[in-house]
Amino acid sequence: MASFRKIGKNWFYRFTDGSGKQRERKGCTDRRETESMAAAAEAEASNIRHGYIDPKARNYRDHESKPLADHLADFRSALIDKGGRRKHPLVTSNKAAKVLRLAGIRRISELSMSRAQGALAKLRGEGLGAETINHHVRAVKAFSRWLWKDGRAREHHLAHLATSNPEADRRHRRRALTTEEAESLIRAAEHGPVAKGMTGPERARCYELAMGTGFRASELASLTPARFDLSANPPTATVPAAYTKNGKEAVQPLSPALAARLAPWLATLPAGLPIFSMPDRTAEMIRIDLKAAGLPYETASGLADFHSLRGIYISNLVASGASVKVCQTLARHSTPSLTIGLYAKASLHDINGAVGALPDLNPSGPRPEAMAATGTDGRRASKRLSHSFPFGGDGSGRIMTDGVVKEVESVQATSARDEGRKSLSERDLDTHSRVQSDPVIEYRRWDSNPHGGSPPGDFKSPVPAAWLVLCWHRYSAESPINNGFPALLRCILHSVVLG
């Protein structure tokens, strides 16, 4: 039985819900109307307890009655509770709210692909690039997925909302500074005044560490002296998982030269405080030092903002000859295509060196003299080699004699005809088919054989088939029937040794 109480002008009623818990809800200023609301709530709770109503359906209905702004606030709180970077929950919820506002979506049931795509078209009309629009797509999809996983929506309404190719409309292309430009930037910062709240030496160490580790601006801002282990082999710098982009702890090795320069500077800093006071707009900070160094901020190759320092680190890794897997691991990328395709930049010197190593394919140019294929004096390297192997000339399968080119195939045919005219005794075989002298194993060639300069498929083995048959006949004649198989093994072994 529901109970009632009045607070100010409004009545409130208390009842037992479907799970057996006491609930109090706000009614209205009229007592009879509040009693009707309490009766409906009790009837629904009774149906839930008896299994006539699905409690999930009731939850969907309750969440549908809430404005989408309230769900966005809960979404932001869930991201904060999940942990990670401090700015991520705020940025993600704001981007999702912007898409929903442009789409005119105010309730969960109004979420749809067509309305979301219409909002993205408006963002594109405002002049935003493809990569920026992709950030909005991921934010609003994360919100839709959270509604579904949290039991507030029956489905993930925006599961099939796709991102676009950022390369087709990339507004900000970054370039990698050369070694000389990087050194000029560090020298200019070292002797520069205070800019964006950072001293000159502090900025110089910041640039040097960014180019030596590939750390992002937010990751550099989290570093303290205690997160450096300069006595290790190799020296390392560690960024906790809460400050990395992929949510994993980053332990980056440092070069010995960089560690030696950082050691005396880190020794003067407080142990528990960040070593850098990073500004919000790092691009404006680096532009000051680029101008002092006489370097352009933007060229035909792209921009040289603070994030391009990470590109310098990855480009130097690739240029050092490290494997793709090593470069991907040190860059902390999910795919090697992101490391090699987007961040790694090839300098003109590297490209020129690669092109210069290409062979000259001009057929009229001078050709290096080729050595003979199997010998250096025009003779066959071994009597055991088949006539199908060239043994003179330029190694291309032709023999040069008095300026007349003779094909190797004709030599093979002549040799085959002469071989056929010899008797067994002339071929150094006795009545038992045993070799009396050092055998010359050669292949008979047929004029109709399409194999050209290689033996037929049936004679790929170095031991001729006829030789195996003759040996098998001898051994089987001298051995009992039950020793036929061992005799065959001896036959093969004997033939292989001689061959």
Side-chain angles (χ1 to χ4, degrees):
M1 189 67 181
S3 59
F4 304 88
R5 64 171 179 159
K6 189 175 183 180
I7 302 177
K9 295 182 179 181
N10 290 318
W11 286 91
F12 290 79
Y13 61 93
R14 181 181 293 271
F15 72 103
T16 304
D17 63 5
S19 61
K21 295 181 179 180
Q22 289 289 323
R23 302 286 183 182
E24 186 178 52
R25 291 181 180 174
K26 181 181 180 180
C28 58
T29 57
D30 189 287
R31 164 120 185 175
R32 291 185 178 181
E33 187 66 27
T34 303
E35 290 176 352
S36 300
M37 294 171 63
E42 286 184 326
E44 183 183 52
S46 177
N47 289 331
I48 291 175
R49 285 193 296 269
H50 289 86
Y52 300 135
I53 295 179
D54 184 5
K56 285 188 176 181
R58 181 177 61 86
N59 290 334
Y60 293 144
R61 184 196 64 191
D62 293 342
H63 289 305
E64 174 65 22
S65 63
K66 294 174 59 176
L68 213 55
D70 295 344
H71 293 294
L72 278 169
D74 295 341
F75 174 59
R76 185 186 301 113
S77 300
L79 292 177
I80 294 174
D81 295 340
K82 186 179 179 180
R85 294 181 297 167
R86 292 169 293 179
K87 293 177 59 177
H88 176 67
L90 182 62
V91 172
T92 303
S93 60
N94 287 343
K95 291 184 183 299
K98 186 175 183 178
V99 175
L100 298 174
R101 183 176 65 256
L102 292 175
I105 299 174
R106 295 178 177 83
R107 302 287 177 180
I108 294 178
S109 59
E110 296 176 357
L111 283 169
S112 66
M113 287 277 296
S114 59
R115 299 182 74 166
Q117 288 173 345
L120 297 177
K122 293 179 181 179
L123 290 176
R124 199 173 293 109
E126 294 177 0
L128 299 183
E131 187 63 40
T132 304
I133 294 176
N134 287 344
H135 292 325
H136 287 78
V137 171
R138 297 185 187 99
V140 75
K141 284 185 68 174
F143 174 63
S144 175
R145 182 170 55 251
W146 174 80
L147 289 175
W148 169 56
K149 289 186 174 182
D150 200 49
R152 304 186 181 214
R154 295 180 182 273
E155 59 179 327
H156 183 3
H157 293 84
L158 304 180
H160 301 290
L161 187 64
T163 57
S164 58
N165 181 17
E167 293 299 325
D169 184 30
R170 187 171 292 280
R171 305 295 179 86
H172 301 287
R173 296 186 180 274
R174 295 183 173 92
R175 65 184 179 94
L177 300 177
T178 63
T179 303
E180 294 76 12
E181 290 176 331
E183 292 175 352
S184 299
L185 175 65
I186 294 174
R187 284 196 302 267
E190 183 77 37
H191 303 288
V194 176
K196 296 295 180 179
M198 295 182 67
T199 64
E202 186 181 5
R203 295 197 308 275
R205 299 291 84 75
C206 181
Y207 298 152
E208 196 171 6
L209 196 56
M211 290 185 281
T213 61
F215 285 150
R216 302 172 178 89
S218 59
E219 296 169 341
L220 290 169
S222 69
L223 292 176
T224 62
R227 290 175 182 156
F228 288 86
D229 189 359
L230 302 182
S231 60
N233 187 19
T236 60
T238 303
V239 175
Y243 297 94
T244 60
K245 186 176 181 180
N246 58 4
K248 300 178 181 178
E249 184 182 59
V251 182
Q252 289 292 89
L254 305 176
S255 66
L258 177 59
R261 287 192 296 271
L262 291 176
W265 176 67
L266 291 175
T268 63
L269 301 178
L273 297 179
I275 61 176
F276 299 123
S277 53
M278 298 291 293
D280 293 333
R281 297 183 178 274
T282 53
E284 297 178 359
M285 178 183 69
I286 196 173
R287 291 185 72 166
I288 297 173
D289 295 315
L290 286 171
K291 184 178 180 180
L295 301 175
Y297 173 72
E298 184 176 3
T299 64
S301 302
L303 304 175
D305 59 3
F306 191 87
H307 197 70
S308 64
L309 302 181
R310 176 171 166 81
I312 298 174
Y313 172 71
I314 297 174
S315 299
N316 290 337
L317 286 177
V318 175
S320 68
S323 66
V324 175
K325 183 60 178 178
V326 171
C327 295
Q328 177 192 351
T329 301
L330 291 174
R332 295 174 289 130
H333 284 154
S334 57
T335 60
S337 59
L338 182 60
T339 305
I340 305 300
L342 182 60
Y343 279 85
K345 311 294 183 183
S347 66
L348 184 60
H349 180 270
D350 297 333
I351 295 174
N352 186 40
V355 174
L358 292 176
D360 184 9
L361 303 180
N362 183 10
S364 61
R367 293 283 184 176
E369 183 177 355
M371 296 179 63
T374 57
T376 58
D377 53 359
R379 295 179 298 176
R380 195 183 301 121
S382 173
K383 294 182 180 181
R384 300 180 187 274
L385 292 178
S386 169
H387 281 293
S388 62
F389 292 94
F391 54 86
D394 59 356
S396 61
R398 300 175 182 270
I399 302 175
M400 302 297 296
T401 305
D402 297 332
V404 180
V405 179
K406 296 181 180 181
E407 298 290 346
V408 174
E409 191 65 31
S410 64
V411 178
Q412 296 172 349
T414 304
S415 175
R417 287 195 299 271
D418 294 341
E419 187 70 18
R421 298 192 189 100
K422 293 181 180 181
S423 63
L424 283 174
S425 60
E426 290 175 328
R427 277 181 273 178
D428 297 331
L429 294 175
D430 63 2
T431 56
H432 296 289
S433 301
R434 286 182 293 184
V435 180
Q436 299 295 332
S437 61
D438 190 13
V440 178
I441 301 174
E442 299 178 349
Y443 294 105
R444 294 284 303 276
R445 296 297 302 169
W446 298 339
D447 294 338
S448 60
N449 190 348
H451 289 280
S454 61
D458 298 336
F459 293 86
K460 295 291 184 181
S461 170
V463 181
W467 175 258
L468 290 176
V469 172
L470 292 175
C471 291
W472 164 250
H473 175 73
R474 178 187 182 282
Y475 283 120
S476 60
E478 294 181 356
S479 306
I481 298 299
N482 57 357
N483 291 334
F485 184 73
L488 176 60
L489 293 179
R490 294 197 301 273
C491 164
I492 295 174
L493 180 61
H494 181 67
S495 302
V496 171
V497 171
L498 291 179

